[in-house]
Amino acid sequence: MPGWLDGLLLGLVQGLTEFLPISSSGHLVLGEALLGYDPPGISFEIGLHVATLLSVLIAFAPRVRTLAVGLVRGEGPAWRYAGLLALGSVPAAIAGIGFRDFFAARFQPGVGLGVNFLLTAAILWSTRWAVRRPAREGIGPVAALGIGVAQAVAILPAVSRSGTTIAAALWGRVGPAAAAEFSFLLSVVAIAGSAVLEVRHIESFDALLTGGFAAAFLAALLSGIWAIRFLVRLLERGRFHHFAWYCAAVGLLTIAWLGAAAR
């Protein structure tokens, strides 16, 4: 486990990049390479993902509470929305379970990481035109499935999950606020499901009881809440595509740095 300062930095990276459309997985791989931290297992990454899951539940607490009450009471709209979340989760579940080894092998520093950052930049830039299309009321099954496919692609490191899912929603003519809400609530299912699948690979939980992990967890939780609220505001102002410039810069720098290191 990292020390408290490295843990704080990695937690901030996770919390900010999990929800801002700049890829948490790509930045975590880069951050670990820059800090020289070689994780002994997956317990650290799973712990940080749990922190960001809590960020979503806190940031969308009123919506989560309304949805939960509606499900208990058997209300149609609540069950329909839950069904759409389930439908949107299917592609990532198939990809994560069926191609786990393929995706795991991609989580290494390399030029491919930079290429994926550039892909994220292109997807974000495309939303300049998506937001000009008139939005429909609510989210339908076709849009939910399209968002789910985007989420499955985003298992690749440096391909932003929030970026691809929100972009898919906008192209599916979903309004900005509804797109953000569905994307982030969909992440709860994805993060929880991934944690359940990966937790059996953890050899020991003792390493999580450290100051470094505590600092990382708290930093990821608080920065995640801030990032969600900040992104929703930018979406409503039509500035979502501005993140493309950042992803393109990181992609080019990553290719130059890791490409030179590989020689």
Side-chain angles (χ1 to χ4, degrees):
M1 283 294 134
W4 73 267
L5 181 57
D6 286 352
L8 178 65
L9 292 175
L10 290 173
L12 286 173
V13 167
Q14 173 67 23
L16 294 175
T17 60
E18 178 70 31
F19 303 112
L20 298 181
I22 54 178
S23 177
S24 63
S25 58
H27 279 78
L28 203 57
V29 172
L30 287 178
E32 290 172 350
L34 286 170
L35 295 172
Y37 171 62
D38 184 18
I42 61 172
S43 57
F44 184 75
E45 284 79 2
I46 291 178
L48 291 189
H49 276 89
V50 171
T52 51
L53 183 152
L54 292 177
S55 296
V56 178
L57 296 178
I58 293 172
F60 287 96
R63 178 62 172 130
V64 171
R65 184 165 50 250
T66 299
L67 185 61
V69 171
L71 291 174
V72 172
R73 295 178 177 175
E75 296 174 358
W79 278 97
R80 181 179 182 277
Y81 197 85
L84 293 173
L85 289 174
L87 177 63
S89 301
V90 170
I94 294 174
I97 296 173
F99 301 93
R100 179 181 180 277
D101 293 339
F102 170 82
F103 286 111
R106 301 299 180 274
F107 280 76
Q108 298 294 332
V111 172
L113 199 67
V115 173
N116 287 349
F117 272 117
L118 294 179
L119 174 60
T120 294
I123 292 171
L124 295 176
W125 192 252
S126 77
T127 62
R128 292 186 65 194
W129 297 277
V131 294
R132 298 174 185 174
R133 308 173 71 194
R136 295 171 176 166
E137 289 292 332
I139 297 177
V142 174
L145 189 58
I147 296 169
V149 171
Q151 180 171 252
V153 173
I155 296 176
L156 289 169
V159 177
S160 168
R161 196 208 68 83
S162 63
T164 55
T165 54
I166 291 176
L170 294 175
W171 277 108
R173 296 172 60 185
V174 179
E181 178 185 279
F182 191 83
S183 170
F184 292 135
L185 291 181
L186 192 65
S187 74
V188 172
V189 182
I191 294 171
S194 176
V196 170
L197 289 175
E198 298 294 344
V199 72
R200 57 193 174 91
H201 297 288
I202 298 178
E203 296 181 357
S204 173
F205 289 92
D206 293 340
L208 297 180
L209 304 177
T210 65
F213 176 74
F217 188 94
L218 187 60
L221 173 65
L222 297 179
S223 61
I225 295 171
W226 178 87
I228 291 171
R229 293 172 177 170
F230 177 70
L231 181 58
V232 171
R233 287 196 299 270
L234 286 185
L235 266 170
E236 293 173 341
R237 296 172 184 172
R239 299 178 181 177
F240 185 65
H241 65 280
H242 288 185
F243 288 100
W245 293 105
Y246 174 84
C247 290
V250 173
L252 292 174
L253 289 173
T254 299
I255 291 173
W257 171 41
L258 296 179
R263 294 175 185 174

